[in-house]
Amino acid sequence: MAQRIIIDTDPGQDDAVAILLALASPEIELLGITCVAGNVGLPLTAANARRVCELAGRTDIPVFAGHDAPLRRKLVTAEHVHGKTGLDGVDLPAPSMPLQDRHAVGFLIETLRREPAGSVTLVPIGPLTNIASALARAPDIAARIGRIVLMGGAYFEVGNITPAAEFNIYVDPEAAQAVFACGAPITVVPLDVTHKALVTAPRNAAFRALGNRAGATVAAWTDFFERYDREKYGSPGAPLHDPCTIAWLLRPELFSGREINVEIETTGQYTTGMTVADWWRVSGRPANALFLRDLDAEGFFSLLTERLRRL
Ligand code: RIB
Ligand code: CA
């Protein structure tokens, strides 16, 4: 039985690779894509999500626009990383498939209420505004969510947008706080893991060697967005943050982590947006998330490359 998921996203090149990996994997049934403002503004993230569906020949996937700003804060974007379109590196044509009329939050609530409890997994890979908004409007859905597998946060790896905070959490810390408190099972894919998923030159060459449009496009995207991490961290390649969530669904054995307590800082002068991960279990606070820390990078890239070959 395929894993039925909804991806909530702010594409972003790495988001785009996550969507392609999901679409290339028969173990996964993508019920819909909900878009949120994050890497770039909502009009672009909603267009980019459709560009990726069209690239994969999957105009059947319903794409919804959600929140264009955090619950209570001004939007912070990341054009410095992803370029002004959010998908710089390749010129994909403007999408011709339409956006759905429904708001993303309405789609999330309606789907979770309609489908059997526990049968739908949410995969948020951008700021958590849409998910928190759905929980606030319909608290009953918390008990119906099968699992939330989110890319966000950091602990040993510390922050990437501030010294303390990872971007997805930082953009909307109040939304993240609500998600981590909602009681649904959560898997956190933090920078601790995704900074080990680096697209080195051989891995990029393997994408290109696929000889298909998906491989060439992913190679061009990662060529573009690696420059930020290369400059800042001296990394040998772009960190493929968001696809790690889909890879965990497909092959959890490629990852390792601990069930621990994770709280979100929302008021710290220097630490707002920090995921305070109690890895050493010193707080006495109840565990509320599987916090991943390690990844078999070779295994991840062979899975990703093999799946991209199918597109
Ligand atoms: O910090 C990395 C996260 O922020 C990724 O989801 C990337 O796409 C950006 O949204
Ligand atoms: Ca993202």
Side-chain angles (χ1 to χ4, degrees):
M1 170 83 165
Q3 296 193 63
R4 309 168 78 235
I5 74 170
I6 296 171
I7 294 176
D8 187 78
T9 177
D10 63 334
Q13 291 90 347
D14 60 315
D15 303 65
V17 180
I19 295 168
L20 290 179
L21 178 56
L23 291 175
S25 300
E27 306 92 323
I28 287 177
E29 182 187 355
L30 181 53
L31 301 176
I33 296 175
T34 50
C35 303
V36 68
N39 285 322
V40 287
L42 180 68
L44 271 175
T45 60
N48 289 341
R50 287 176 286 155
R51 284 185 169 93
V52 178
C53 290
E54 290 183 345
L55 173 69
R58 294 297 306 275
T59 55
D60 59 302
I61 302 290
V63 178
F64 302 81
H67 283 274
D68 63 2
L71 295 179
R72 290 196 232 143
R73 293 172 188 257
K74 216 164 106 18
L75 177 62
V76 170
T77 53
E79 284 88 352
H80 60 292
V81 179
H82 299 276
K84 66 178 179 11
T85 71
L87 285 185
D88 284 29
V90 178
D91 262 346
L92 290 179
S96 48
M97 68 185 274
L99 259 184
Q100 298 296 311
D101 296 337
R102 288 217 68 167
H103 189 279
V105 172
F107 170 72
L108 286 163
I109 294 170
E110 172 208 76
T111 306
L112 286 165
R113 283 181 170 160
R114 182 190 65 239
E115 297 303 322
S119 68
V120 175
T121 297
L122 302 184
V123 183
I125 51 177
L128 290 161
T129 315
N130 288 341
I131 312 300
S133 178
L135 287 164
R137 258 179 55 190
D140 58 292
I141 64 171
R144 303 186 64 82
I145 298 169
R147 177 168 284 270
I148 298 171
V149 183
L150 66 91
M151 191 280 136
Y155 189 60
F156 297 94
E157 188 66 13
V158 298
N160 62 355
I161 186 81
T162 75
E166 176 279 327
F167 179 79
N168 288 340
I169 308 297
Y170 179 74
V171 170
D172 198 340
E174 286 74 21
Q177 189 172 55
V179 169
F180 277 82
C182 81
I186 297 175
T187 299
V188 181
V189 182
L191 296 179
D192 304 75
V193 164
T194 68
H195 278 180
K196 295 169 182 154
L198 300 178
V199 185
T200 57
R203 290 165 178 165
N204 191 286
F207 294 152
R208 285 195 196 288
L210 290 174
N212 63 0
R213 205 162 155 233
T217 304
V218 169
W221 280 333
T222 51
D223 268 345
F224 176 84
F225 101 103
E226 80 167 15
R227 78 209 189 298
Y228 175 78
D229 284 74
R230 192 183 278 281
E231 218 167 281
K232 175 176 174 183
Y233 298 102
S235 318
L240 273 186
H241 307 289
D242 295 336
C244 288
T245 57
I246 305 298
W248 185 81
L249 286 172
L250 294 170
R251 295 199 42 207
E253 70 277 9
L254 293 174
F255 300 79
S256 65
R258 281 184 187 174
E259 287 285 349
I260 58 170
N261 176 267
V262 179
E263 300 295 342
I264 308 299
E265 180 56 59
T266 58
T267 60
Q269 183 179 355
Y270 302 110
T271 54
T272 286
M274 179 177 179
T275 44
V276 183
D278 187 7
W279 184 264
W280 304 112
R281 299 187 177 113
V282 296
S283 72
R285 291 190 291 267
N288 59 344
L290 170 61
F291 194 88
L292 301 180
R293 187 178 178 191
D294 218 346
L295 159 77
D296 167 358
E298 277 310 304
F300 168 71
F301 278 97
S302 58
L303 170 70
L304 174 59
T305 308
E306 184 273 319
R307 293 298 161 99
L308 290 175
R309 182 192 312 278
R310 303 182 187 196
L311 289 173

